[in-house]
Amino acid sequence: GVVRLWQQKGWEIALHGYNHALKKTKHFGIIPFHKYSEFVGVSLDEQKTKLNKGAEIFSRHGISTNIWVAPAHSFDINTIRALKECTDISIISDGLAMDVYKKHGFYWIPQQLGIFRKMPFGLWTLCLHPSTMSDKDINLLDNQINKNRHLFINFKMDILKDRNRSLLDNLFRYSHGAIRRIKKLVRSSS
């Protein structure tokens, strides 16, 4: 299929859960963005089952990956355990930081932006949902990528680092969270 062709072109394909059936949760997961998830609050055994089924679908279609991107940026420590026990995943693309770091035995490639922006420093990734993008959005993104091709690197090209999160990473994460909360308050009061 088309995903196998993308992988043959050198595109990185990530496991993104099993069925994307998001349910309201009582708590945030590891990444405090949403209180809905396919994984947060789900038992370890059920998470293993979901990840095994997702990996089996990939395998059946000749797709291999060692990357995880959680649905809705929402997963918990049981997800981490299940990924270790059931998959060959070694990279999680999620979270807020200025650069790649290692935690829980995984390389974490931060995922911060929902639209392309030139950033003055740091490693920045995009999370795009083409199924919700208009033709205008896709054409704009295509133009931005072509104009800024020199700023893009291969997802795995020498970026994996055995470093801990830094003070700057933590400050960025908490300031980002504060900004999100302020924007939400402003929107709700309008």
Side-chain angles (χ1 to χ4, degrees):
V2 69
V3 176
R4 194 171 41 253
L5 292 174
W6 291 339
Q7 192 162 56
Q8 289 168 357
K9 285 182 174 185
W11 293 21
E12 297 298 340
I13 308 298
L15 184 61
H16 186 60
Y18 169 57
N19 60 9
H20 216 277
L22 304 177
K23 296 178 183 171
K24 192 162 180 58
T25 61
K26 291 180 182 178
H27 307 284
F28 289 112
I30 291 172
I31 311 297
F33 281 1
H34 306 292
K35 284 190 176 178
Y36 50 88
S37 178
E38 180 180 343
F39 291 91
V40 172
V42 175
S43 74
L44 177 61
D45 286 339
E46 189 175 342
Q47 290 199 38
K48 287 180 184 180
T49 298
K50 288 175 174 274
L51 292 170
N52 280 327
K53 287 180 178 180
E56 179 187 313
I57 292 168
F58 270 32
S59 178
R60 196 170 51 238
H61 292 281
I63 309 234
S64 62
T65 189
N66 67 339
I67 305 168
W68 165 256
V69 175
H73 309 277
S74 193
F75 59 104
D76 60 19
I77 198 67
N78 278 342
T79 317
I80 298 287
R81 290 181 186 125
L83 286 167
K84 280 183 185 176
E85 293 179 30
C86 297
T87 72
D88 294 328
I89 302 289
S90 61
I91 299 169
I92 295 173
S93 179
D94 215 328
L96 297 166
M98 298 308 295
D99 204 347
V100 176
Y101 61 95
K102 196 164 188 185
K103 187 173 182 179
H104 301 299
F106 293 91
Y107 293 101
W108 293 66
I109 299 176
Q111 195 294 111
Q112 301 100 325
L113 301 174
I115 58 172
F116 175 80
R117 286 186 211 124
K118 277 189 182 181
M119 302 305 286
F121 54 86
L123 175 74
W124 300 86
T125 59
L126 297 168
C127 178
L128 303 171
H129 296 89
S131 62
T132 62
M133 294 170 68
S134 68
D135 288 345
K136 181 181 175 184
D137 295 333
I138 291 172
N139 288 333
L140 176 62
L141 176 65
D142 187 47
N143 287 335
Q144 291 170 327
I145 290 171
N146 285 325
K147 285 180 189 172
N148 298 285
R149 187 171 299 280
H150 63 284
L151 299 175
F152 288 81
I153 60 172
N154 181 299
F155 196 74
K156 292 184 192 175
M157 185 186 79
D158 300 323
I159 63 171
L160 301 181
K161 299 172 184 166
D162 288 337
R163 76 173 192 95
N164 294 322
R165 289 179 59 87
S166 68
L167 177 60
L168 182 60
D169 292 325
N170 292 330
L171 287 171
F172 174 72
R173 177 182 179 179
Y174 293 113
S175 65
H176 185 275
I179 291 167
R180 282 176 58 105
R181 286 188 295 280
I182 290 167
K183 284 181 178 180
K184 192 174 184 179
L185 285 172
V186 168
R187 279 193 301 262
S188 68
S189 67
S190 300

